[in-house]
Amino acid sequence: MVRLTWGASLAVCVLLAACSKAPEAEAPNAAPVSAVALTNTPVPVSASTVAGIKVDAVQRYVLDDTEVRTIHASKLNRDYQLFVSLPPDYAAQPDRKYPVMFVTDANYDFPLIRSIARRLGDHGDGTEDFILVGLSYAAGDTPVYSRRRDYTPTNHGPSGLTSDMPGRPVLHGEAEGYRESLKDDVFPVIAANYRADMSRAIYVGHSYGGLLGYEILIHDPGMFSHYILGSPSLQFDHGVEFARMHDALAARKDLSANVLVVLGGFETLSKDKADRRFNTGTDMIGDNKRFVAELQAKHYPGLHVNLLTVPGEDHLTVFPMIITRGIQWALPGKRPVLNVTGG
């Protein structure tokens, strides 16, 4: 096992700087990440003296209580890394089992969620401790290439895209296989190696990751007890997810899951052309309100779904707010529970 280094957190800056404004193109965390380092090998820089001050040799900053495991997804014939962060009291409470949160786009999301979770729980009673599992991109693939393929339901992606992997065509539409791999390859590894309460598994995904969350929800809802879906890209393939929902749920009598959908207030269309934070071609708020309304219209006894918009945030800036609200909603401590009844 290898500890996850602080290099992963540097990906936040790389990704936000490189991402596109249009949600149709990619999610905000889709840019290639070269800053992620997955070893704790010291940087080969010797001690020196600067302005009379002795400076020790540079070492990597290692995130406490973190591990990295590489697994082989047999059906996909690809390797993926799992980033794992354990609660601060994990070793001190050997008989305790913890809820476990799985998050896509781990290069960006894992260090961010870990930091937010610890901040929320710093003073006690804020939120419940949990095991965090970051789902990385496929080994050898760029983030863009991996997420386009793994998180989308059909092979009809946006037109005019180019591949960022020379010699390999743009590829979409393997969400079903990826979902099966999570269940068959990832879940057993986590259950066997950690004190994870898999009956309290929580899914987190943003943009294409949110779209993947809808896919799991409608086809195998019992995989997770809670779904935190940020800015799901329902515009993909001309709204194909609506038809997929209708087909998947046609004969279902119940769907047991707790779902929170969160978007930024700017993720809609506006006649105010002066404010460039508004979407220019896709009403993501409108699309998701419609999707949630159609789910609620099923009147499934076990389904609890809410949609929340965060004023002042757009597709690129809303994710930290999604996580803060999502953790408070799914894993509340003794403080008042977050109100997610609308907005």
Side-chain angles (χ1 to χ4, degrees):
M1 291 181 288
V2 183
R3 283 191 169 185
L4 186 68
T5 69
W6 185 244
S9 66
L10 297 178
V12 176
C13 298
V14 174
L15 291 162
L16 289 179
C19 60
S20 166
K21 172 65 176 74
E24 297 89 343
E26 297 294 341
N29 41 23
V33 181
S34 59
V36 174
L38 296 175
T39 71
N40 58 358
T41 305
V43 177
V45 178
S46 59
S48 61
T49 301
V50 179
I53 302 172
K54 182 179 179 181
V55 181
D56 290 339
V58 175
Q59 297 181 7
R60 294 192 184 277
Y61 187 101
V62 179
L63 298 176
D64 293 336
D65 304 315
T66 59
E67 302 173 351
V68 177
R69 293 176 180 268
T70 299
I71 66 165
H72 182 70
S74 54
K75 292 182 180 179
L76 302 176
N77 196 29
R78 293 190 288 270
D79 290 340
Y80 293 85
Q81 288 182 320
L82 305 179
F83 304 170
V84 181
S85 177
L86 301 175
D89 65 350
Y90 187 84
Q93 300 197 46
D95 298 324
R96 180 179 175 184
K97 297 187 75 172
Y98 295 83
V100 55
M101 179 179 291
F102 295 83
V103 59
T104 59
D105 292 301
N107 299 49
Y108 169 85
D109 297 345
F110 177 86
L112 182 64
I113 293 178
R114 181 184 179 279
S115 296
I116 291 175
R118 296 205 170 195
R119 182 63 174 171
L120 290 174
D122 269 352
H123 303 292
D125 300 335
T127 56
E128 186 176 353
D129 287 338
F130 61 92
I131 297 170
L132 175 63
V133 178
L135 305 171
S136 75
Y137 306 116
D141 289 351
T142 65
V144 170
Y145 196 92
S146 185
R147 69 191 314 278
R148 281 177 176 172
R149 177 194 59 217
D150 292 344
Y151 299 172
T152 57
T154 69
N155 61 1
H156 302 115
S159 60
L161 297 180
T162 58
S163 175
D164 66 343
M165 297 197 70
R168 297 175 62 180
V170 174
L171 187 62
H172 295 85
E174 296 189 13
E176 181 176 352
Y178 187 78
R179 167 175 59 85
E180 292 175 351
S181 180
L182 288 181
K183 190 171 186 177
D184 298 338
D185 301 318
V186 175
F187 279 17
V189 170
I190 298 303
N193 290 282
Y194 304 98
R195 297 194 308 275
D197 182 355
M198 298 302 290
S199 69
R200 301 181 65 199
I202 302 164
Y203 177 90
V204 181
H206 180 239
S207 198
Y208 275 177
L211 179 64
L212 175 64
Y214 275 146
E215 269 288 293
I216 299 172
L217 175 67
I218 63 177
H219 288 103
D220 196 352
M223 278 183 64
F224 298 94
S225 64
H226 291 72
Y227 292 79
I228 302 170
L229 309 181
S231 311
S233 299
L234 287 171
Q235 76 279 358
F236 180 82
D237 192 6
H238 308 287
V240 69
E241 198 66 15
F242 286 92
R244 294 177 67 82
M245 174 182 63
H246 300 156
D247 291 343
L249 303 183
R252 183 176 285 276
K253 302 301 181 183
D254 196 8
L255 191 159
S256 296
N258 302 288
V259 184
L260 177 63
V261 182
V262 184
L263 300 100
F266 285 102
E267 296 191 82
T268 186
L269 303 175
S270 174
K271 295 181 180 180
D272 182 7
K273 304 299 183 182
D275 195 333
R276 301 181 64 183
R277 295 186 70 187
F278 281 104
N279 290 353
T280 57
T282 302
D283 183 4
M284 299 184 77
I285 292 178
D287 289 346
N288 280 275
K289 283 185 175 180
R290 176 187 160 201
F291 198 91
V292 167
E294 292 192 19
L295 282 174
Q296 291 173 327
K298 300 286 187 179
H299 300 293
Y300 292 132
L303 178 63
H304 306 281
V305 54
N306 290 283
L307 185 145
L308 176 70
T309 59
V310 183
E313 305 295 341
D314 58 33
H315 194 74
L316 305 185
T317 64
V318 70
F319 187 72
M321 308 301 291
I322 293 168
I323 294 308
T324 300
R325 285 158 170 75
I327 292 175
Q328 291 174 316
W329 166 75
L331 297 165
K334 297 179 181 179
R335 297 176 192 167
V337 178
L338 175 71
N339 183 353
V340 294
T341 57

